[in-house]
Amino acid sequence: MASRQELSDFLVSVERRAFKHAVFAVRDEEAALDIVQDAMFRLAERYADRPPAELPMIFQRILRNAVTDHFRRRKVRDLWTTLFSSILPSNDENSEQDPLEFLESQEGGTRSESAADAVERTQVMAAIEEEIHKLPARQREAFLMRYWEEMDVAETAAAMGCSEGSVKTHCSRATHALAAALRARGISL
Amino acid sequence: MNDRQTTERIRRMLDESAEHVPYRVVHRLENARQAALARASALAEPEFAGQTGARGQVSLEEPSLRRRSRAAAILSLMLLLAGLVALSVWTDLQEADENADVEMAVLTDDDVPIAGYADRGFGVFLKNARP
């Protein structure tokens, strides 16, 4: 059984990566934050009594379901938005990132780097994220769970609701697709 | 470069990217975490206070126990409401019967002086005089 401190530590360790997972899936920061919050609530309400070792797999499954729920809701909302699109105002200006936030987020840890190195690293990170965005959803999920969350094949398969063989296939295809795409961009890792 | 090296370097870049999310996002995630922990604590406290035994068994029985207690609360509320309605109807009927008795007594009694109809205590007198 996970104590409150263990649950807190787990959420601290996983929350930023979960946010990035959600952003990769839905491509919308606000929606991603809502999804992560929803996943945290579900984990705390329903699975807080599980052993700490089980939390990563359970949380990934919850996060995946929360993303699916988001797409279901968006499908319904888009239907109504399409019907009333002529009277709804455009909110494109809200999606722009605040440059001050970007600068603030870059502070710390990279001060010793030269400006050129920092720019290059930022560009490489952006390219990697963009290529991960482009992966098919199943390949992206398998790749991120397996190599970023460091879950084993069995845990990934359980979280994704598929066989271990499928996980291996998805991971292999994702790795090759990413390597090829980054090479094509002239990025050597 | 082999697959393992590729995935390892991508992982490191992703870690770095996750470390540099905007402060607004970090703040929001922290708030969400605190709210989630508060919810977990709120659910855990009644179990520790009211139940004994292995935690695993409790967690398996949790949903049915919660459903039963909720059903019992709803049933109690419905019974209370039904009782109040029944009491109200019964009181109204009693009052109507009493008024009918008083009016009947007034109308059938020829000995009542004319001033009696204007007496505010006449109804009370008749009521007390009933066998």
Side-chain angles (χ1 to χ4, degrees):
Chain A
M1 183 181 75
S3 67
R4 182 189 160 91
Q5 188 58 47
E6 283 169 334
L7 184 61
S8 175
D9 291 345
F10 168 72
L11 291 176
V12 168
S13 72
V14 83
E15 63 191 15
R16 293 186 187 199
R17 293 202 307 275
F19 167 71
K20 299 295 280 187
H21 271 259
V23 170
F24 287 141
V26 303
R27 306 183 183 202
D28 176 348
E29 284 195 356
E30 284 305 315
L33 284 167
D34 289 342
I35 286 168
V36 175
Q37 176 172 298
D38 190 28
M40 285 180 174
F41 284 1
R42 288 189 206 177
L43 182 79
E45 287 172 354
R46 300 177 196 171
Y47 301 99
D49 57 344
R50 295 298 184 94
E54 289 184 16
L55 294 181
M57 192 272 287
I58 293 172
F59 186 71
Q60 288 304 322
R61 180 180 277 185
I62 293 172
L63 189 65
R64 193 166 168 272
N65 289 340
V67 169
T68 306
D69 290 347
H70 165 81
F71 282 123
R72 284 195 190 120
R73 282 195 299 269
R74 196 167 77 178
K75 195 174 174 184
V76 174
R77 196 171 57 236
D78 286 352
L79 178 68
W80 290 102
T81 306
T82 306
L83 290 173
F84 296 104
S85 57
S86 59
I87 55 171
L88 287 175
S90 169
N91 60 349
D92 285 345
E93 66 275 9
N94 293 334
S95 61
E96 290 175 7
Q97 189 179 12
D98 183 351
L100 289 177
E101 275 189 355
F102 177 78
L103 288 174
E104 186 181 14
S105 71
Q106 298 303 308
E107 285 179 5
T110 56
R111 284 181 183 168
S112 57
E113 277 186 322
S114 72
D117 287 345
V119 168
E120 190 184 336
R121 288 183 77 77
T122 306
Q123 286 173 341
V124 171
M125 271 194 284
I128 288 173
E129 291 188 356
E130 196 178 324
E131 293 304 330
I132 289 174
H133 268 310
K134 289 180 186 171
L135 289 174
R138 302 282 285 173
Q139 286 185 26
R140 185 177 57 239
E141 286 172 5
F143 181 86
L144 292 175
M145 284 188 210
R146 185 84 182 81
Y147 299 122
W148 199 19
E149 299 298 335
E150 298 180 315
M151 293 164 65
D152 62 30
V153 175
E155 286 174 333
T156 308
M160 290 181 67
C162 64
S163 69
E164 294 185 14
S166 296
V167 170
K168 289 176 185 171
T169 305
H170 288 317
C171 286
S172 174
R173 287 180 181 166
T175 305
H176 288 121
L178 280 175
L182 294 173
R183 257 198 316 273
R185 285 172 168 244
I187 296 171
S188 58
L189 293 171
Chain B
M1 184 186 302
N2 62 31
D3 288 353
R4 187 171 177 162
Q5 287 172 317
T6 304
T7 54
E8 177 58 26
R9 290 184 181 182
I10 290 175
R11 189 184 67 76
R12 264 189 268 139
M13 296 301 279
L14 288 172
D15 278 339
E16 192 175 332
S17 169
E19 283 302 310
H20 292 126
V21 294
Y23 176 73
R24 174 181 62 85
V25 172
V26 175
H27 184 64
R28 174 87 189 275
L29 289 172
E30 191 178 337
N31 286 342
R33 180 177 8 108
Q34 296 300 339
L37 290 170
R39 286 181 178 218
S41 300
L43 287 174
E45 277 166 11
E47 285 170 16
F48 289 127
Q51 295 176 26
T52 57
R55 178 64 187 262
Q57 290 172 351
V58 169
S59 71
L60 287 175
E61 292 171 7
E62 245 177 33
S64 65
L65 283 174
R66 237 182 275 149
R67 269 198 299 276
R68 274 185 215 166
S69 65
R70 197 179 302 154
I74 291 170
L75 189 64
S76 306
L77 191 64
M78 287 173 69
L79 284 173
L80 180 66
L81 285 173
L84 286 172
V85 169
L87 183 66
S88 171
V89 169
W90 184 77
T91 309
D92 287 347
L93 287 174
Q94 282 292 106
E95 199 175 332
D97 280 350
E98 286 173 8
N99 287 339
D101 287 346
V102 169
E103 285 167 10
M104 186 59 74
V106 168
L107 291 172
T108 56
D109 190 354
D110 293 335
D111 297 335
V112 178
I114 195 73
Y117 293 102
D119 188 350
R120 294 174 68 188
F122 186 61
V124 178
F125 163 74
L126 284 176
K127 188 177 170 184
N128 292 335
R130 284 174 64 194

